[in-house]
Amino acid sequence: MTTTDNEPGGAAAPGAAPLPERRWRGLATIALAQLMITLDTTIVTIALPTAQSDLDLSDANRQWVVTAYTLAFGGLLLLGGRIADRLGRKRTLLMGVLGFAVVSGIGGMAQSGWMLIAARAGQGLFAALLAPSTLALLVTMFPEQAERGKAIGIYTAVLTAGGGLGLVVGGLLTSTLDWRWCMYVNIPIALIATVGAVLTLPDPPGRAEARMDVFGTITGCGGIAALVYGLSEAGARGWHADRVFVSLALAGVLLIVFVILQARRSTPLLPLRILTDRNRGMAFGTVALATLGLFGVFLFLTYQLQTVMGYSAVKTGVALLPLVAMNVLGATQLAGRLLPKVPPRTLIVPGLLAAAASLALLTRLTPDSSYLKVIVPAEMLLGLGIGTLFGPTVSVATSGVDQHDAGVASATVNTAQQVGASIGTALLNTIAAGAGGTYLDEHRDGTDLLREATVHGYAVAASWALGIMLATAALVTVVINADPRRTAPQSRPGNEKAAAGTRTG
């Protein structure tokens, strides 16, 4: 393995990829930082009933404990990516990690519901600062395609498995200690990640000329925040609620204005060339749609196990472990090993089809479905599919991006995931509720009618998600033709900038 841009004596020049023995330790640091923010997407979900009772939080306001995080995280990601480009990604990562730890401690000490909600919003803010830096640093550290494929496999395993682990950890901490430890647990993780970042990560300089684009920030981040909020409210209140309509309409207006502004700016917040590349644009769409299916299944399986089958919070978390295990297997052993050898499309499409097969099983869900015969196979197929497709998709989304756009490209990957999660939760939950209500209207007799209607709703929503996965697979087959093995030159001393500047497709 060749080192890059190293000074005499073996010390890496500022901003260069670190020496070979430090790269994998640096990847561990990046994975740990990413795990922290991914865990918090779901870790509070299981602890929420206990926290609500402890802090006397009303039913109407309890959803803000979840929504405040996703709203700040999804809404500020593009700004976080541009800040990383301007200040430098290592510096931004450290700011994000330490800030996340501080607000997590505040959340753990919350004495009121609104104090907890404010802390969750703070977590989302610092997550938006942190997330773009992790992926951008990974791309910088692993310029060679073979190594990058393995590194992205590990990164995406953490990215997609973190939500499932959050359910497990949240259940264990709430049951054995206290709900507040779902917030405190971030502090030791952040401290370890901080030490690791200082010792192992490269320090590419920021770009003073990367302006913040105030109007682009207001319209872009405001539009995404309004979209995430509207979709989150749709899941709880239905699509016909006034606030849902207003939020989605506002999102549409702001995002249209944002696109117009970005096309005219000399230093845009989001260079449109990142989106208009056919391969990269489809990769962002695939991340969003795959996450839609992933979070939809998390939602249904959690409700099926807890509400229908009567599992405890801890037992539900443990019951979801097969999904997490197969996700890690698919990301590290399949995608990580094969990505350097085959075109990304040959992994993305089978991954989507495996996830579709999982959803096909869930369309046959009943109140009496066996955990071992139905739910475990569905979990394993979904975990394997998502784990296999995410790494190659992220590779297509980030390969060939100009070095000065790496932060915002990484932010766009995370934005696609966040919006996909919001859409999946809102859309599929609304479809399930509507189908369940229709079932009750049509079947007025029965000893266990409510459970049957509930599970029927899950099955109908799963059929919609199945259709989305199959359509995405067809689009990927037609649209994505990139092969980073051919478009990126091999890493040689002094050649990293050329590799970073090579474009796909």
Side-chain angles (χ1 to χ4, degrees):
M1 183 188 304
T2 57
T3 59
T4 57
D5 290 342
N6 288 344
E7 296 177 342
L19 295 174
E21 62 272 15
R22 292 175 57 192
R23 291 181 183 176
W24 298 103
R25 292 198 295 270
L27 177 61
T29 297
I30 288 174
L32 190 63
Q34 183 63 47
L35 177 64
M36 181 176 67
I37 60 177
T38 308
L39 278 174
D40 272 71
T41 305
T42 56
I43 193 172
V44 175
T45 303
I46 287 181
L48 186 55
T50 306
Q52 179 185 359
S53 176
D54 193 16
L55 300 178
D56 196 24
L57 194 62
S58 69
D59 289 343
N61 291 326
R62 67 180 177 185
Q63 65 171 326
W64 279 101
V65 177
V66 176
T67 303
Y69 180 80
T70 58
L71 193 61
F73 187 17
L76 296 174
L77 270 166
L78 288 180
L79 179 61
R82 184 52 75 199
I83 291 174
D85 287 337
R86 181 179 176 88
L87 299 182
R89 287 151 205 151
K90 181 175 180 177
R91 183 181 303 176
T92 309
L93 182 142
L94 288 170
M95 292 168 55
V97 167
L98 292 174
F100 201 98
V102 170
V103 295
S104 294
I106 294 172
M109 295 184 292
Q111 298 302 307
S112 69
W114 288 109
M115 185 175 176
L116 176 60
I117 290 169
R120 289 285 288 167
Q123 285 183 320
L125 185 154
F126 285 106
L129 194 63
L130 166 62
S133 300
T134 59
L135 185 52
L137 281 168
L138 184 152
V139 172
T140 300
M141 289 163 52
F142 295 93
E144 291 185 357
Q145 183 60 28
E147 284 191 339
R148 185 182 294 182
K150 296 177 183 178
I152 288 180
I154 295 171
Y155 175 87
T156 54
V158 171
L159 188 71
T160 55
L165 288 174
L167 296 174
V168 178
V169 174
L172 289 173
L173 290 176
T174 302
S175 299
T176 59
L177 295 172
D178 186 80
W179 69 265
R180 297 179 185 274
W181 280 95
C182 292
M183 305 292 285
Y184 291 143
V185 71
N186 294 310
I187 297 175
I189 297 176
L191 293 177
I192 296 171
T194 299
V195 173
V198 171
L199 295 178
T200 65
L201 296 183
D203 192 13
R207 296 188 303 114
E209 71 275 13
R211 298 179 181 179
M212 288 296 102
D213 184 9
V214 175
F215 290 110
T217 299
I218 293 172
T219 54
C221 295
I224 293 173
L227 178 63
V228 171
Y229 174 74
L231 292 171
S232 299
E233 288 292 295
R237 302 176 186 274
W239 294 100
H240 299 294
D242 290 344
R243 69 178 64 188
V244 173
F245 175 79
V246 171
S247 297
L248 295 181
L250 178 62
V253 171
L254 289 174
L255 291 175
I256 290 172
V257 174
F258 172 73
V259 171
I260 295 172
L261 289 175
Q262 298 311 287
R264 296 180 176 181
R265 290 283 193 268
S266 58
T267 55
L269 180 67
L270 175 61
L272 296 184
R273 60 182 175 270
I274 291 177
L275 299 178
T276 54
D277 178 276
R278 60 179 286 177
N279 293 291
R280 194 171 297 119
M282 188 66 234
F284 292 141
T286 302
V287 169
L289 293 169
T291 307
L292 183 156
L294 175 65
F295 272 75
V297 172
F298 269 153
L299 182 72
F300 300 147
L301 289 181
T302 300
Y303 287 163
Q304 174 77 9
L305 292 169
Q306 286 190 291
T307 305
V308 178
M309 300 174 69
Y311 283 24
S312 67
V314 175
K315 190 176 180 180
T316 298
V318 173
L320 290 170
L321 283 178
L323 189 155
V324 176
M326 293 302 292
N327 179 274
V328 173
L329 178 66
T332 59
Q333 301 305 308
L334 289 180
R337 292 179 181 273
L338 294 178
L339 183 56
K341 303 175 182 178
V342 301
R345 179 172 57 186
T346 61
L347 293 169
I348 298 172
V349 173
L352 287 166
L353 294 178
S358 167
L359 291 163
L361 284 176
L362 293 179
T363 61
R364 304 173 62 184
L365 204 62
T366 69
D368 300 318
S369 291
S370 166
Y371 171 72
L372 291 177
K373 294 181 179 179
V374 177
I375 295 177
V376 169
E379 286 187 37
M380 295 177 72
L381 282 169
L382 182 70
L384 184 65
I386 296 293
T388 301
L389 73 90
F390 252 94
T393 305
V394 171
S395 178
V396 173
T398 56
S399 293
V401 178
D402 290 338
Q403 190 65 29
H404 58 271
D405 289 334
V408 72
S410 302
T412 307
V413 172
N414 283 280
T415 300
Q417 185 197 24
Q418 194 65 26
V419 171
S422 298
I423 293 173
T425 302
L427 176 63
L428 298 180
N429 188 51
T430 302
I431 291 172
T438 301
Y439 187 92
L440 286 174
D441 291 338
E442 296 176 350
H443 302 77
R444 297 185 177 277
D445 297 322
T447 58
D448 206 7
L449 192 58
L450 183 59
R451 290 175 74 238
E452 292 175 1
T454 300
V455 178
H456 173 75
Y458 302 159
V460 171
S463 68
W464 280 78
L466 169 61
I468 292 171
M469 286 292 184
L470 292 175
T472 306
L475 285 172
V476 169
T477 301
V478 173
V479 175
I480 291 184
N481 60 7
D483 189 347
R485 300 172 304 155
R486 298 175 182 174
T487 58
Q490 290 298 314
S491 177
R492 287 187 287 272
N495 202 35
E496 280 73 24
K497 290 183 180 179
T502 304
R503 293 190 178 280
T504 59

